[in-house]
Protein backbone atom coordinates (compact mmCIF):
# COMPACT_ATOMS: atom_id res chain seq x y z
CA UNK A 1 0.00 0.00 0.00
CA UNK A 2 3.07 2.23 -0.20
CA UNK A 3 2.48 2.45 -3.91
CA UNK A 4 6.05 1.59 -4.86
CA UNK A 5 7.63 4.00 -2.36
CA UNK A 6 9.96 2.76 0.38
CA UNK A 7 8.14 4.58 3.15
CA UNK A 8 4.76 6.17 3.82
CA UNK A 9 6.44 9.52 4.33
CA UNK A 10 7.97 9.49 0.86
CA UNK A 11 4.66 8.38 -0.64
CA UNK A 12 2.80 11.15 1.18
CA UNK A 13 5.32 13.78 0.11
CA UNK A 14 4.68 12.72 -3.48
CA UNK A 15 0.92 12.82 -2.97
CA UNK A 16 1.00 16.55 -2.34
CA UNK A 17 0.14 17.69 -5.88
CA UNK A 18 -2.92 15.47 -5.68
CA UNK A 19 -3.78 16.64 -2.18
CA UNK A 20 -3.69 20.26 -3.37
CA UNK A 21 -5.99 19.47 -6.27
CA UNK A 22 -8.41 17.56 -4.08
CA UNK A 23 -8.47 20.31 -1.47
CA UNK A 24 -9.23 22.92 -4.14
CA UNK A 25 -11.74 20.84 -6.09
CA UNK A 26 -15.29 22.22 -6.09
CA UNK A 27 -14.15 25.28 -4.18
CA UNK A 28 -13.08 27.43 -7.12
CA UNK A 29 -15.74 28.68 -9.47
CA UNK A 30 -14.53 29.23 -13.06
CA UNK A 31 -11.16 30.53 -11.88
CA UNK A 32 -12.85 33.66 -10.55
CA UNK A 33 -14.33 33.02 -7.17
CA UNK A 34 -13.95 30.85 -4.05
CA UNK A 35 -17.03 28.93 -2.99
CA UNK A 36 -17.03 27.02 0.27
CA UNK A 37 -20.28 25.04 0.24
CA UNK A 38 -19.28 23.04 3.32
CA UNK A 39 -19.10 25.97 5.70
CA UNK A 40 -22.11 27.88 7.00
CA UNK A 41 -20.25 31.12 7.78
CA UNK A 42 -21.94 33.63 5.49
CA UNK A 43 -20.49 36.74 3.90
CA UNK A 44 -22.54 38.88 6.28
CA UNK A 45 -21.05 36.98 9.22
CA UNK A 46 -17.53 37.41 7.84
CA UNK A 47 -18.15 41.15 7.78
CA UNK A 48 -19.01 41.05 11.51
CA UNK A 49 -15.73 39.37 12.50
CA UNK A 50 -13.41 41.44 14.66
CA UNK A 51 -10.80 38.85 15.65
CA UNK A 52 -9.67 35.43 14.57
CA UNK A 53 -7.80 33.04 16.86
CA UNK A 54 -6.02 30.02 15.43
CA UNK A 55 -5.29 27.12 17.78
CA UNK A 56 -3.29 23.99 17.00
CA UNK A 57 -0.33 21.82 18.00
CA UNK A 58 2.95 20.88 16.35
CA UNK A 59 2.94 20.93 12.60
CA UNK A 60 -0.65 22.18 12.47
CA UNK A 61 0.48 25.12 14.63
CA UNK A 62 3.16 25.90 12.08
CA UNK A 63 0.54 25.87 9.32
CA UNK A 64 -1.53 28.25 11.44
CA UNK A 65 1.41 30.67 11.68
CA UNK A 66 1.38 30.88 7.88
CA UNK A 67 -2.43 31.08 8.00
CA UNK A 68 -2.22 34.14 10.23
CA UNK A 69 -0.17 36.09 7.70
CA UNK A 70 -2.36 34.92 4.83
CA UNK A 71 -5.62 35.93 6.51
CA UNK A 72 -4.29 39.23 7.79
CA UNK A 73 -2.82 40.22 4.43
CA UNK A 74 -5.94 39.27 2.51
CA UNK A 75 -8.58 40.52 4.95
CA UNK A 76 -6.96 42.93 7.44
CA UNK A 77 -8.78 41.08 10.25
CA UNK A 78 -6.36 40.72 13.18
CA UNK A 79 -5.36 37.10 13.76
CA UNK A 80 -3.69 35.54 16.79
CA UNK A 81 -2.10 32.11 16.82
CA UNK A 82 -1.83 29.97 19.94
CA UNK A 83 -0.54 26.58 20.84
CA UNK A 84 -3.66 24.71 21.91
CA UNK A 85 -2.01 23.57 25.14
CA UNK A 86 -1.39 27.19 26.11
CA UNK A 87 -4.58 28.82 24.88
CA UNK A 88 -6.92 27.58 27.57
CA UNK A 89 -4.77 28.79 30.42
CA UNK A 90 -3.97 32.30 29.24
CA UNK A 91 -7.52 33.64 29.49
CA UNK A 92 -7.71 34.89 25.89
CA UNK A 93 -10.02 37.82 25.21
CA UNK A 94 -12.94 36.38 23.28
CA UNK A 95 -15.88 38.47 22.16
CA UNK A 96 -19.04 37.80 20.22
CA UNK A 97 -17.23 38.59 17.02
CA UNK A 98 -14.29 36.27 17.59
CA UNK A 99 -13.89 33.30 15.30
CA UNK A 100 -11.73 30.52 16.67
CA UNK A 101 -10.26 28.12 14.13
CA UNK A 102 -8.88 24.79 15.37
CA UNK A 103 -6.39 23.21 12.97
CA UNK A 104 -5.80 19.48 13.29
CA UNK A 105 -4.93 16.77 10.81
CA UNK A 106 -6.33 13.93 12.90
CA UNK A 107 -9.12 15.87 14.56
CA UNK A 108 -8.39 13.89 17.73
CA UNK A 109 -5.55 15.80 19.38
CA UNK A 110 -6.48 16.17 23.04
CA UNK A 111 -4.95 19.62 23.51
CA UNK A 112 -6.69 21.01 20.44
CA UNK A 113 -10.00 19.49 21.38
CA UNK A 114 -9.80 20.83 24.92
CA UNK A 115 -8.88 24.34 23.72
CA UNK A 116 -11.70 24.27 21.22
CA UNK A 117 -14.25 23.23 23.87
CA UNK A 118 -13.03 26.00 26.11
CA UNK A 119 -13.38 28.55 23.30
CA UNK A 120 -16.95 27.39 22.70
CA UNK A 121 -17.67 27.67 26.39
CA UNK A 122 -16.38 31.24 26.31
CA UNK A 123 -18.82 32.02 23.52
CA UNK A 124 -16.70 31.90 20.37
CA UNK A 125 -17.88 30.54 17.08
CA UNK A 126 -15.56 27.64 16.27
CA UNK A 127 -14.42 26.48 12.90
CA UNK A 128 -12.24 23.44 12.26
CA UNK A 129 -9.70 22.77 9.55
CA UNK A 130 -9.18 19.03 9.67
CA UNK A 131 -8.37 16.08 7.46
CA UNK A 132 -10.57 13.47 9.08
CA UNK A 133 -14.28 13.36 8.40
CA UNK A 134 -16.20 12.27 11.49
CA UNK A 135 -13.32 13.15 13.86
CA UNK A 136 -14.08 14.73 17.25
CA UNK A 137 -12.88 18.16 16.14
CA UNK A 138 -15.04 17.94 13.00
CA UNK A 139 -18.11 16.86 14.98
CA UNK A 140 -17.84 19.54 17.62
CA UNK A 141 -17.04 22.55 15.44
CA UNK A 142 -19.74 24.90 14.14
CA UNK A 143 -18.12 24.83 10.72
CA UNK A 144 -15.61 22.47 9.15
CA UNK A 145 -13.32 23.16 6.24
CA UNK A 146 -11.88 19.78 5.33
CA UNK A 147 -8.45 19.34 3.88
CA UNK A 148 -8.71 16.49 1.42
CA UNK A 149 -5.19 15.15 1.68
CA UNK A 150 -6.29 11.54 2.15
CA UNK A 151 -5.16 9.37 5.07
CA UNK A 152 -1.77 10.30 6.50
CA UNK A 153 0.06 7.28 7.92
CA UNK A 154 3.63 8.50 8.52
CA UNK A 155 4.05 10.05 11.95
CA UNK A 156 5.80 13.07 10.44
CA UNK A 157 3.11 15.18 8.84
CA UNK A 158 3.75 16.35 5.28
CA UNK A 159 0.74 16.46 2.96
CA UNK A 160 -1.58 17.39 5.84
CA UNK A 161 0.51 20.48 6.59
CA UNK A 162 0.68 21.65 3.00
CA UNK A 163 -3.03 21.00 2.47
CA UNK A 164 -3.74 23.11 5.54
CA UNK A 165 -1.91 25.93 3.77
CA UNK A 166 -4.23 25.45 0.79
CA UNK A 167 -7.23 25.58 3.14
CA UNK A 168 -5.96 28.89 4.54
CA UNK A 169 -5.55 30.33 1.04
CA UNK A 170 -9.11 29.34 0.17
CA UNK A 171 -10.51 30.69 3.42
CA UNK A 172 -8.53 33.93 3.21
CA UNK A 173 -9.72 34.55 -0.34
CA UNK A 174 -13.31 33.65 0.59
CA UNK A 175 -13.19 36.21 3.38
CA UNK A 176 -11.55 38.79 1.12
CA UNK A 177 -14.42 38.40 -1.33
CA UNK A 178 -16.95 39.07 1.43
CA UNK A 179 -15.03 42.05 2.76
CA UNK A 180 -14.05 43.41 -0.64
CA UNK A 181 -10.51 43.89 0.62
CA UNK A 182 -9.30 42.65 -2.78
CA UNK A 183 -10.80 43.45 -6.16
CA UNK A 184 -11.98 40.77 -8.60
CA UNK A 185 -8.82 40.97 -10.70
CA UNK A 186 -6.55 40.47 -7.72
CA UNK A 187 -8.63 37.50 -6.57
CA UNK A 188 -8.61 35.92 -10.03
CA UNK A 189 -4.84 36.46 -10.19
CA UNK A 190 -4.28 34.67 -6.90
CA UNK A 191 -6.64 31.86 -7.89
CA UNK A 192 -4.71 31.34 -11.13
CA UNK A 193 -1.48 30.98 -9.18
CA UNK A 194 -3.14 28.67 -6.67
CA UNK A 195 -4.32 26.41 -9.48
CA UNK A 196 -0.79 26.22 -10.87
CA UNK A 197 0.74 24.93 -7.62
CA UNK A 198 0.11 21.19 -8.22
CA UNK A 199 2.00 21.17 -11.52
CA UNK A 200 4.81 23.25 -10.07
CA UNK A 201 5.11 20.67 -7.29
CA UNK A 202 5.23 17.81 -9.76
CA UNK A 203 8.20 19.34 -11.51
CA UNK A 204 9.95 20.14 -8.22
CA UNK A 205 9.56 16.55 -7.04
CA UNK A 206 11.41 15.34 -10.14
CA UNK A 207 14.61 17.01 -9.06
CA UNK A 208 15.45 16.46 -5.43
CA UNK A 209 19.13 15.64 -6.01
CA UNK A 210 20.50 18.99 -4.83
CA UNK A 211 18.65 18.65 -1.50
CA UNK A 212 19.83 15.05 -1.17
CA UNK A 213 23.40 16.31 -1.34
CA UNK A 214 22.69 18.90 1.32
CA UNK A 215 21.17 16.18 3.53
CA UNK A 216 24.23 14.00 3.12
CA UNK A 217 26.38 16.86 4.29
CA UNK A 218 24.30 17.77 7.34
CA UNK A 219 23.59 14.17 8.41
CA UNK A 220 26.90 14.16 10.30
CA UNK A 221 26.13 17.31 12.28
CA UNK A 222 24.71 17.42 15.79
CA UNK A 223 22.98 20.73 15.50
CA UNK A 224 22.09 23.37 13.00
CA UNK A 225 19.97 26.43 12.42
CA UNK A 226 17.13 27.33 10.13
CA UNK A 227 16.66 31.05 9.68
CA UNK A 228 14.17 33.18 7.77
CA UNK A 229 12.03 36.31 7.87
CA UNK A 230 8.28 36.64 7.56
CA UNK A 231 6.65 33.54 6.08
CA UNK A 232 10.11 31.99 5.82
CA UNK A 233 10.42 32.25 9.60
CA UNK A 234 7.21 30.24 10.09
CA UNK A 235 8.34 27.77 7.45
CA UNK A 236 11.70 27.45 9.22
CA UNK A 237 9.85 26.27 12.34
CA UNK A 238 8.20 23.49 10.38
CA UNK A 239 11.46 22.54 8.63
CA UNK A 240 13.20 22.35 12.00
CA UNK A 241 10.49 20.20 13.60
CA UNK A 242 10.50 17.80 10.66
CA UNK A 243 14.27 17.41 10.80
CA UNK A 244 14.29 16.89 14.57
CA UNK A 245 11.52 14.35 14.70
CA UNK A 246 12.84 11.93 12.11
CA UNK A 247 16.60 12.54 11.85
CA UNK A 248 17.14 13.31 15.59
CA UNK A 249 19.50 16.13 14.60
CA UNK A 250 18.96 19.05 16.92
CA UNK A 251 17.98 22.23 15.15
CA UNK A 252 16.58 25.60 15.99
CA UNK A 253 14.41 27.82 13.86
CA UNK A 254 15.18 31.47 14.27
CA UNK A 255 13.89 34.73 12.94
CA UNK A 256 16.88 35.76 10.85
CA UNK A 257 17.04 39.20 12.43
CA UNK A 258 16.98 37.80 15.95
CA UNK A 259 20.12 35.65 15.86
CA UNK A 260 22.39 38.56 16.64
CA UNK A 261 20.50 39.07 19.91
CA UNK A 262 22.04 35.98 21.45
CA UNK A 263 22.05 32.73 19.51
CA UNK A 264 24.77 33.87 17.16
CA UNK A 265 27.09 32.73 19.97
CA UNK A 266 26.34 29.14 18.95
CA UNK A 267 27.65 29.51 15.41
CA UNK A 268 31.02 27.85 15.02
CA UNK A 269 33.23 26.83 12.12
CA UNK A 270 31.04 24.70 9.81
CA UNK A 271 27.76 24.96 11.75
CA UNK A 272 25.15 24.47 9.03
CA UNK A 273 22.68 27.32 8.64
CA UNK A 274 19.77 26.78 6.30
CA UNK A 275 18.62 30.22 5.27
CA UNK A 276 15.14 30.46 3.82
CA UNK A 277 15.09 33.49 1.57
CA UNK A 278 12.06 33.06 -0.63
CA UNK A 279 10.34 36.31 0.36
CA UNK A 280 11.82 38.77 -2.05
CA UNK A 281 10.81 41.94 -0.27
CA UNK A 282 12.91 40.74 2.68
CA UNK A 283 15.81 39.42 0.63
CA UNK A 284 18.30 42.15 1.33
CA UNK A 285 17.81 41.90 5.07
CA UNK A 286 18.09 38.11 5.02
CA UNK A 287 21.23 38.37 2.88
CA UNK A 288 22.86 40.55 5.51
CA UNK A 289 21.93 37.99 8.20
CA UNK A 290 23.55 35.32 6.03
CA UNK A 291 26.71 37.41 5.94
CA UNK A 292 26.65 37.64 9.75
CA UNK A 293 26.66 33.86 10.14
CA UNK A 294 29.16 33.35 7.31
CA UNK A 295 31.55 35.71 9.06
CA UNK A 296 31.40 33.38 12.10
CA UNK A 297 32.24 30.34 10.01
CA UNK A 298 28.77 28.93 9.23
CA UNK A 299 28.19 26.74 6.21
CA UNK A 300 25.14 28.33 4.57
CA UNK A 301 22.59 26.63 2.39
CA UNK A 302 20.07 29.13 1.06
CA UNK A 303 16.60 28.46 -0.32
CA UNK A 304 15.74 31.10 -2.90
CA UNK A 305 13.39 31.78 -5.79
CA UNK A 306 14.34 30.75 -9.29
CA UNK A 307 16.06 33.63 -11.02
CA UNK A 308 17.30 35.15 -7.77
CA UNK A 309 21.00 35.80 -8.33
CA UNK A 310 21.85 37.78 -5.21
CA UNK A 311 22.58 34.84 -2.92
CA UNK A 312 25.15 32.89 -4.89
CA UNK A 313 27.87 35.20 -3.69
CA UNK A 314 26.88 35.08 -0.02
CA UNK A 315 25.75 31.47 0.55
CA UNK A 316 27.79 28.30 0.06
CA UNK A 317 24.99 26.60 -1.79
CA UNK A 318 21.60 27.70 -3.15
CA UNK A 319 18.50 25.55 -3.67
CA UNK A 320 15.88 27.03 -5.95
CA UNK A 321 12.09 27.11 -5.65
CA UNK A 322 9.72 28.04 -8.51
CA UNK A 323 8.03 31.42 -8.46
CA UNK A 324 4.45 32.02 -7.43
CA UNK A 325 2.67 34.69 -5.37
CA UNK A 326 4.76 35.40 -2.22
CA UNK A 327 1.90 34.26 0.05
CA UNK A 328 1.75 30.93 -1.79
CA UNK A 329 5.50 30.28 -1.82
CA UNK A 330 5.54 28.23 1.43
CA UNK A 331 3.28 25.65 -0.27
CA UNK A 332 6.16 24.99 -2.69
CA UNK A 333 9.18 25.76 -0.51
CA UNK A 334 8.15 23.23 2.13
CA UNK A 335 8.85 20.31 -0.21
CA UNK A 336 12.66 20.48 -0.35
CA UNK A 337 12.61 20.94 3.44
CA UNK A 338 10.51 17.82 3.93
CA UNK A 339 12.90 15.97 1.64
CA UNK A 340 15.88 17.31 3.57
CA UNK A 341 14.51 15.77 6.77
CA UNK A 342 13.66 12.58 4.91
CA UNK A 343 17.10 12.11 3.37
CA UNK A 344 18.95 13.10 6.56
CA UNK A 345 16.94 10.51 8.53
CA UNK A 346 17.59 7.88 5.84
CA UNK A 347 21.33 8.58 5.79
CA UNK A 348 21.33 8.06 9.55
CA UNK A 349 19.51 4.76 9.17
CA UNK A 350 16.42 5.83 11.11
CA UNK A 351 12.92 4.42 10.77
CA UNK A 352 11.43 7.38 8.93
CA UNK A 353 7.78 6.40 9.34
CA UNK A 354 8.00 5.58 13.03
CA UNK A 355 10.31 7.99 14.83
CA UNK A 356 11.21 7.14 18.41
CA UNK A 357 9.02 8.40 21.27
CA UNK A 358 6.24 9.72 19.02
CA UNK A 359 2.68 8.73 18.19
CA UNK A 360 0.62 9.75 15.20
CA UNK A 361 -2.33 10.93 17.20
CA UNK A 362 -1.73 12.51 20.60
CA UNK A 363 -4.77 11.87 22.73
CA UNK A 364 -3.34 12.93 26.10
CA UNK A 365 -2.89 16.50 27.32
C1 LIG B 1 4.69 16.49 13.36
C2 LIG B 1 3.32 16.14 13.69
C3 LIG B 1 2.73 16.65 14.96
C4 LIG B 1 1.25 16.98 14.76
C5 LIG B 1 0.59 17.39 16.07
C6 LIG B 1 -0.86 17.79 15.88
O1 LIG B 1 5.07 15.99 12.11
O2 LIG B 1 2.69 15.43 12.95
O3 LIG B 1 3.42 17.77 15.42
O4 LIG B 1 1.14 18.00 13.82
O5 LIG B 1 0.66 16.32 16.99
O6 LIG B 1 -1.59 16.76 15.29
P1 LIG B 1 -2.98 17.02 14.62
O7 LIG B 1 -2.76 17.88 13.42
O8 LIG B 1 -3.52 15.67 14.26
O9 LIG B 1 -3.84 17.74 15.62
Amino acid sequence: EKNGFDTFMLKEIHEQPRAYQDTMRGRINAGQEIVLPDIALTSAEVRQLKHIHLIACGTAYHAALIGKTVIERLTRIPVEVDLASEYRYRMPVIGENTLVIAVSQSGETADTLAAMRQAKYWGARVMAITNVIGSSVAREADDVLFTLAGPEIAVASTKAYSSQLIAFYLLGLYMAQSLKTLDDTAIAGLIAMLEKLPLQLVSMLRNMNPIRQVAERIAENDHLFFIGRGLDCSLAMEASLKLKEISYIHSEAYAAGELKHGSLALIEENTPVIALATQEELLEKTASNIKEVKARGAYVIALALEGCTGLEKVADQVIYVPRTHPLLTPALAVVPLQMLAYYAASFRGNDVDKPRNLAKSVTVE
Side-chain angles (χ1 to χ4, degrees):
E1 76 265 46
K2 288 181 196 144
N3 226 349
F5 290 98
D6 288 344
T7 61
F8 282 109
M9 184 181 177
L10 196 58
K11 167 176 176 269
E12 288 161 7
I13 288 172
H14 283 81
E15 281 171 346
Q16 290 177 109
R18 181 64 183 278
Y20 286 16
Q21 277 170 343
D22 289 347
T23 300
M24 287 186 236
R25 181 167 304 123
R27 291 168 167 170
I28 297 173
N29 184 12
Q32 301 293 314
E33 184 198 17
I34 305 298
V35 282
L36 297 176
D38 27 1
I39 65 171
L41 187 79
T42 63
S43 289
E45 286 164 340
V46 171
R47 287 192 286 271
Q48 299 294 316
L49 294 178
K50 292 270 187 313
H51 299 279
I52 297 176
H53 294 176
L54 307 179
I55 51 176
C57 306
T59 286
Y61 171 74
H62 298 151
L65 292 173
I66 307 261
K68 169 191 163 78
T69 301
V70 169
I71 295 176
E72 286 188 340
R73 294 269 182 96
L74 298 179
T75 69
R76 310 312 296 155
I77 300 172
V79 182
E80 290 176 48
V81 191
D82 275 272
L83 289 166
S85 56
E86 292 291 319
Y87 187 70
R88 311 162 57 193
Y89 306 110
R90 77 160 173 101
M91 305 277 272
V93 181
I94 291 185
E96 264 178 61
N97 301 320
T98 306
L99 175 68
V100 172
I101 307 180
V103 189
S104 174
Q105 186 284 128
S106 64
E108 301 297 347
T109 300
D111 287 317
T112 308
L113 203 52
M116 172 179 157
R117 287 180 181 149
Q118 188 70 50
K120 268 193 128 174
Y121 173 78
W122 283 326
R125 179 179 185 129
V126 176
M127 183 184 284
I129 294 178
T130 180
N131 198 41
V132 180
I133 296 167
S135 61
S136 305
V137 164
R139 278 186 279 115
E140 293 188 27
D142 300 305
D143 279 301
V144 190
L145 182 57
F146 285 106
T147 49
L148 295 161
E152 195 178 58
I153 310 292
V155 167
S157 178
T158 54
K159 63 176 181 170
Y161 168 87
S162 54
S163 301
Q164 284 158 1
L165 302 187
I166 302 297
F168 277 117
Y169 300 140
L170 295 171
L171 185 63
L173 285 167
Y174 175 79
M175 290 178 164
Q177 282 165 194
S178 309
L179 296 163
K180 307 237 180 302
T181 42
L182 288 184
D183 63 29
D184 293 351
T185 323
I187 289 181
L190 264 155
I191 288 176
M193 287 187 263
L194 201 52
E195 289 186 308
K196 264 180 67 182
L197 293 177
L199 274 182
Q200 288 180 300
L201 269 196
V202 169
S203 72
M204 286 176 83
L205 283 163
R206 283 202 196 108
N207 186 17
M208 286 292 147
N209 256 336
I211 204 74
R212 190 172 183 277
Q213 285 159 19
V214 172
E216 193 165 10
R217 185 178 170 115
I218 66 154
E220 302 304 318
N221 286 84
D222 293 325
H223 80 119
L224 58 92
F225 283 95
F226 289 92
I227 61 170
R229 286 173 177 261
L231 289 172
D232 283 327
C233 179
S234 306
L235 187 59
M237 292 173 72
E238 174 56 10
S240 174
L241 178 64
K242 214 90 303 173
L243 185 72
K244 277 182 281 206
E245 71 177 325
I246 61 171
S247 77
Y248 316 143
I249 299 170
H250 173 250
S251 65
E252 262 193 77
Y254 245 83
E258 186 63 14
L259 269 184
K260 59 183 175 296
H261 298 290
S263 299
L264 202 52
L266 287 173
I267 304 285
E268 294 173 279
E269 200 58 35
N270 283 322
T271 303
V273 174
I274 301 174
L276 312 188
T278 71
Q279 296 294 313
E280 254 174 355
E281 56 174 39
L282 304 168
L283 190 62
E284 249 177 74
K285 299 277 175 185
T286 307
S288 61
N289 301 131
I290 293 175
K291 288 179 197 153
E292 283 166 5
V293 294
K294 275 297 299 169
R296 273 88 185 167
Y299 181 81
V300 178
I301 303 113
L303 201 68
L305 294 182
E306 273 168 9
C308 162
T309 50
L311 292 177
E312 269 152 14
K313 288 181 288 291
V314 283
D316 295 285
Q317 222 175 321
V318 188
I319 303 284
Y320 291 98
V321 175
R323 281 173 187 269
T324 178
H325 188 280
L327 288 177
L328 308 186
T329 301
L332 296 177
V334 70
V335 173
L337 299 167
Q338 295 166 340
M339 290 300 289
L340 178 71
Y342 179 81
Y343 286 131
S346 309
F347 282 125
R348 292 183 143 218
N350 298 351
D351 182 344
V352 172
D353 283 338
K354 288 201 176 59
R356 67 188 185 203
N357 307 344
L358 299 173
K360 181 65 182 165
S361 187
V362 185
T363 52
V364 291
E365 282 180 53

